[in-house]
Amino acid sequence: MRKEDLRIVFMGTPEFAVATLDALVKGGYNVVAVVTQPDKPVGRHGSVLQPSQVKQYAVEHGLPVLQPVKMKDEDFVNQLRSYNANLQVVVAFRMLPEVVWDMPEYGTFNVHAALLPQYRGAAPINWAVINGETRTGVTTFFLDHDIDTGKVIMQLPFDIHDDYNVENVYDGLMYLGADICMQTLERIVDADGHPEAIPQEELITAGETLLPAPKIFKETCEIDWQKSTKQVYDFVRGLSPYPGAWTTLEDEDGKQTVLKIYATTKTNDDKGNAAPGEITVDGKLLLVATSDGWLQLDEVQLAGKKRMKARDFLNGVKKIGRIHNKS
């Protein structure tokens, strides 16, 4: 098979997916259509519609764009079928029904930002950092009936340094995802559309625990100061810069205000008798006690204020108050 024989439908929405779509276009592959989310209402009254970053790229490069509200909609399915694609590539998109993923002759493969079967789910990058992983990566696999469980085609690793936050890992995996997509397509071409793929069960080692990567909500992001300094440090960088880990400051009158924390530094200081969540100011350093020590806060944002260095935050407040611990 020649790569020109592939008729590809690409599915994706955010910036993460654009790098792969760009690689397909620049690599000379025949992208016959792009599927992305409907334009999102933005602005004070939601009167302005903002196209996804994938749509913006597709329009700029003259690619047909489909934006279904429901993936099972009969009109959409018929329109998708009319492009006669023999392969679909999915990056950072929603769950697909069988009528869609089973449509092409050579199937549908997904680029997932983790080393499956670890971190199946919607937020694999966040959870890998939150859990203190030192390595993650990208996986291509064929879609099947369950989420992120299909046969694996390829994997490429990526090291997570201790000072990396989600943004650093996101950027690295975004371009690694484009690389693995191109390598996967080469395998598909060389194998006449049917490359070797390994069931995920064969990748699980004896005694290995599979960690999930569920969608992250606001309540997920609340800091538990009862955890260790290392655990809270990883939790903060695993949610920075978005959506942001948070805690609650409570003043002497009981008024509570959300404080987002974007960057911290681990310390080796003995916390003595300080209870988890207790705050202390050491010169220009803002420290919070964990279960086993002190964590230095470096970048914070008080509700309604801008993000700032902790020393600037200290200059602007008269009294810190106390942290209202997660219940």
Side-chain angles (χ1 to χ4, degrees), residues 46-84:
S47 57
V48 178
L49 293 178
Q50 177 69 40
S52 73
Q53 288 162 303
V54 162
K55 179 182 178 180
Q56 293 177 48
Y57 179 94
V59 170
E60 289 170 1
H61 291 80
L63 302 174
V65 177
L66 306 179
Q67 296 178 272
V69 175
K70 295 181 179 180
M71 298 298 291
K72 291 183 179 180
D73 180 80
E74 185 175 354
D75 289 340
F76 163 69
V77 172
N78 289 335
Q79 189 176 12
L80 183 63
R81 187 174 286 115
S82 72
Y83 285 98
N84 296 313

Side-chain angles (χ1 to χ4, degrees), residues 220-225 232 235-236 245-247 259 261 325-326:
T220 311
C221 303
E222 185 178 6
I223 298 170
D224 181 0
W225 296 102
V232 179
F235 187 79
V236 169
W246 61 273
T247 191
L259 180 73
I261 301 172
N325 277 307
K326 179 178 181 180

Side-chain angles (χ1 to χ4, degrees), residues 130-317:
I130 288 172
N131 289 333
E133 301 286 1
T134 58
R135 191 182 78 150
T136 185
V138 287
T139 301
T140 50
F141 69 98
F142 285 114
L143 295 188
D144 63 11
H145 293 89
D146 298 315
I147 298 176
D148 299 336
T149 59
K151 291 183 178 181
V152 169
I153 310 166
M154 282 190 67
Q155 293 188 320
L156 293 176
F158 179 86
D159 291 334
I160 304 176
H161 297 176
D162 188 60
D163 59 348
Y164 280 6
N165 63 13
V166 161
E167 187 172 40
N168 302 131
V169 182
Y170 179 100
D171 289 346
L173 294 185
M174 178 169 62
Y175 293 106
L176 193 62
D179 289 343
I180 199 172
C181 178
M182 300 302 285
Q183 292 183 43
T184 298
L185 288 171
E186 289 175 6
R187 289 195 180 188
I188 290 173
V189 169
D190 291 343
D192 290 328
H194 302 285
E196 181 181 357
I198 303 172
Q200 290 190 31
E201 291 74 17
E202 296 182 14
L203 299 176
I204 303 173
T205 58
E208 181 180 9
T209 299
L210 297 186
L211 300 174
K215 186 176 180 179
I216 290 176
F217 300 94
K218 180 182 178 181
E219 55 269 25
T220 311
C221 303
E222 185 178 6
I223 298 170
D224 181 0
W225 296 102
Q226 300 284 347
K227 293 185 179 294
S228 70
T229 297
K230 176 65 164 62
Q231 287 175 313
V232 179
Y233 171 81
D234 290 337
F235 187 79
V236 169
R237 66 192 182 101
L239 295 167
S240 179
Y242 183 82
W246 61 273
T247 191
T248 304
L249 287 181
E250 184 175 308
D251 65 20
E252 55 190 5
D253 296 323
K255 181 181 178 182
Q256 297 180 3
T257 308
V258 169
L259 180 73
K260 283 194 172 184
I261 301 172
Y262 294 99
T264 64
T265 299
K266 291 173 290 183
T267 76
N268 295 317
D269 298 339
D270 183 358
K271 70 171 187 144
N273 295 323
E278 184 173 325
I279 300 174
T280 188
V281 177
D282 183 5
K284 290 296 182 181
L285 302 181
L286 178 58
L287 306 168
V288 181
T290 64
S291 67
D292 64 355
W294 294 99
L295 185 69
Q296 178 181 311
L297 308 191
D298 297 327
E299 291 187 44
V300 299
Q301 182 178 20
L302 201 61
K305 305 294 183 180
K306 66 179 182 179
R307 178 174 169 177
M308 63 184 70
K309 299 291 185 182
R311 62 177 178 270
D312 297 323
F313 170 76
L314 290 173
N315 288 335
V317 296

